[in-house]
Amino acid sequence: MDTIGAIPVFVAVVQYGGFSPAARFLGISKSAVSKRISLLEQQLGVKLLHRTTRKLSLTEAGEHYFEHALKANLAARDAEDAVAQLQGEPQGRLRINTPMSFGRLHMAPMIPEFLKRYPKIRIELVMDDRTVDLVSGGFDIAIRGGVLSDSTLIARRLAPLNSVLCASPGYLDNYGYPQQLDDLLLHNCLSFSYSNDVKEWSFSKDNQRHSVVVSGSYQVNNSEALLEAVLQGLGIARLPTFVAGPDIRAGRLVMLFPEYQMLAQEINAVLIERQYMPAKVRAFLDFAIEYFGSEVPYWEQGIDIKS
């Protein structure tokens, strides 16, 4: 067995965090994966992985090898994609990372429709609110909202990312309708944990910026859980329209201060810069833009959003 054949196995073990999940991904037995890694270590004359009953981690030599193995694996994927281009129809495996709420609410319903149009593509969707590294995670595409910090990635805009301030009619009946922004100081303001400004909410009107330092009894790292708390009348929250849109249209939520704008951002698909864009990636991006509606996404239709 040569080391080139072992590279995809080693990369899969590291990316998936163990022999069993790597075996499931590769479609081979766990013992075959273990044997391939052991033979690789024997050939290289170094230990690549620390193995315990609970955890698998890279040795120092393993970290160096993984860095170069990733590049080799990406080159192999490029070669596969180049051959796939000749087949005409987009095909091959597409590994996509997406935030949890957006993935469940919008990616999950979209993907079956996409696969009906492109039956030769195989998708692995990973939903995770943490920001992942595309290369080490083996992702072709990541869906991200907000400002992109990594300038080495290519971004394709899929839809606007707007947020609105919301409360339930029941909460407003019990605690009153805030008349001005400073009234939020008197209300239970619920927060999304991963926001950059959890405690300071910013608004703009007529090009003037306004901020309010808020407090409340509940902070959570999932937008759908935050939505549920607002629907049950616990307090006021900022919610992305892709989460709150249906409940606003149905009257289960009331938008507060619609004359003010909240920070408008974008939902982007990001990908690693490569020599060319694989047909399967281009097909997915074009389909997603068509499906969501790039300028006014379907979740905002019928809602008057200032942006």
Side-chain angles (χ1 to χ4, degrees), residues 112-147:
E113 297 297 319
F114 173 75
L115 291 176
K116 289 174 187 175
R117 185 180 296 185
Y118 299 102
K120 292 185 179 180
I121 292 178
R122 305 182 311 279
I123 284 184
E124 180 183 357
L125 181 66
V126 178
M127 291 189 269
D128 191 340
D129 285 329
R130 296 171 299 177
T131 300
V132 300
D133 180 83
L134 270 70
V135 176
S136 62
F139 292 103
D140 298 286
I141 299 170
I143 308 301
R144 292 183 181 168
V147 179

Side-chain angles (χ1 to χ4, degrees), residues 81-100:
D81 291 337
V83 173
Q85 296 271 41
L86 300 176
Q87 309 304 313
E89 186 177 356
Q91 58 187 286
R93 181 179 71 99
L94 200 56
R95 193 160 192 253
I96 303 170
N97 173 263
T98 182
M100 189 70 68

Side-chain angles (χ1 to χ4, degrees), residues 180-253:
Q180 53 190 12
L181 291 180
D182 285 346
D183 289 346
L184 293 173
L185 299 171
L186 306 175
H187 286 268
N188 193 29
C189 294
L190 318 179
S191 300
F192 179 61
S193 305
Y194 291 158
S195 295
N196 292 327
D197 52 353
V198 174
K199 296 299 182 184
E200 184 177 358
W201 293 355
S202 296
F203 307 81
S204 65
K205 181 181 178 183
D206 300 328
N207 295 320
Q208 296 292 315
R209 185 175 181 273
H210 307 268
S211 295
V212 181
V213 177
V214 299
S215 62
S217 63
Y218 189 40
Q219 183 174 313
V220 63
N221 66 348
N222 180 271
S223 295
E224 289 175 276
L226 188 60
L227 169 67
E228 183 61 31
V230 178
L231 287 171
Q232 292 197 29
L234 184 62
I236 297 172
R238 293 181 305 182
L239 290 167
T241 55
F242 70 75
V243 170
D247 292 298
I248 293 171
R249 274 193 298 273
R252 292 184 292 268
L253 290 180

